[in-house]
Amino acid sequence: MFDSGFGGLTVACELAKELPEESIVYVGDSARCPYGPRSLDEVDGFVQQIGAWLVARGVKLVVIACNTATAAGLAHAQRTFPVPVVGVVEPGARAAAHATRNRRVGVIATRATVDSGAYTDAIRHLDAGITVFSTATPRFVEIAEQGVRMAEGPIENYTSLASKVYIRPAFQEIAREYLEPLRRCDIDTLVLGCTHFPLLKALIGGVVGRDVTLISSAREAARDVSEILARRQAFAAPGHVPCHEFFTTGADVEEFRSFGSRVFRHPIGDVAHIDL
Ligand code: DGL
């Protein structure tokens, strides 16, 4: 699995819950985070590079645990790699199409994901009668990355207890600016179209209100992985004790280990640095 940083660990966490006997190899491409402001072509190149690295390590399936990378490179990766490749956009779209009652769905994501139209296409492919309202919320990536780092800081004015992410009061204002227009569109479902955003569930939910169902693709994506492995009879042997491995392209492996553990919700053992 891979992502531009910690965000994909929200997907890894669900995967470890769904498939507790499977070993995960996770790459956080922190050196090149964020992916969101980059061109789809450039991010497609990252997907090819990291995917090839994972395949060379002998993984039996690749999860692109990043919406931006999924939008940019899923189809190319599926054509290139000899193992199944699962993205996170289609699972999120499916969950949203199932959840909405009034068929008005909001999507928040990075600039690259919104510009790609991947969510709108995926949701409307499932139900062409759904109206999709998309907004790029690029600062949420930075807020999530910062919030994970700051959670160990001194006074916590507002903390999402679920994810132990620190939210500065100033972040609330940014969230309101991004989300108020969506709220006025009368959406009943909001897709957290970036794997960093589940870390900000409390902040986002606080602004859009309880009537709006928040969708993260993590659980659906984990189910997709489970189905593919079942079809291919490729599950780890019953009783297998998983051995997870974590890699970061960032310079600070210790930071990745300590903050990553918070997002993964299990202690992460050793983290190794890789240069790509
Ligand atoms: N977590 C990533 C996503 O799901 C991207 C965040 C970023 O690097 O901009 O889109």
Side-chain angles (χ1 to χ4, degrees), residues 14-38:
E14 285 301 328
L15 195 68
K17 251 193 258 168
E18 175 85 21
L19 298 167
E21 287 159 346
E22 300 297 335
S23 299
I24 295 171
V25 184
Y26 184 93
V27 176
D29 192 7
S30 308
R32 297 186 292 201
C33 183
Y35 282 0
R38 298 174 187 269

Side-chain angles (χ1 to χ4, degrees), residues 69-215:
T70 300
L74 175 67
H76 188 189
Q78 287 174 331
R79 284 195 299 269
T80 316
F81 300 132
V83 297
V85 184
V86 175
V88 283
V89 171
E90 209 268 336
R94 205 183 320 131
H98 291 163
T100 183
R101 293 285 160 264
N102 71 0
R103 296 162 101 202
R104 297 173 75 80
V105 172
V107 176
I108 51 173
T110 64
R111 166 64 49 214
T113 302
V114 169
D115 287 351
S116 75
Y119 264 105
T120 310
D121 292 348
I123 293 171
R124 301 195 48 172
H125 179 72
L126 295 163
D127 180 349
I130 294 178
T131 309
V132 182
F133 303 88
S134 305
T135 304
T137 55
R139 293 206 61 195
F140 279 172
V141 175
E142 163 199 331
I143 292 175
E145 289 268 334
Q146 262 189 39
V148 171
R149 290 181 168 86
M150 285 163 60
E152 280 183 346
I155 308 295
E156 301 187 0
N157 291 359
Y158 185 105
T159 302
S160 153
L161 292 176
S163 54
K164 302 201 181 92
V165 168
Y166 175 83
I167 305 293
R168 269 195 209 163
F171 295 164
Q172 308 258 10
E173 197 42 51
I174 298 170
R176 267 195 293 274
E177 268 170 40
Y178 278 147
L179 300 172
E180 280 297 340
L182 274 180
R183 219 162 70 96
R184 286 197 292 273
C185 292
D186 192 27
I187 55 166
D188 72 349
T189 303
L190 178 64
V191 179
L192 308 180
C194 169
T195 53
H196 280 70
F197 296 175
L199 297 170
L200 305 177
K201 234 176 175 169
L203 173 70
I204 295 166
V207 177
V208 294
R210 288 206 179 150
D211 304 343
V212 175
T213 307
L214 300 185
I215 301 287

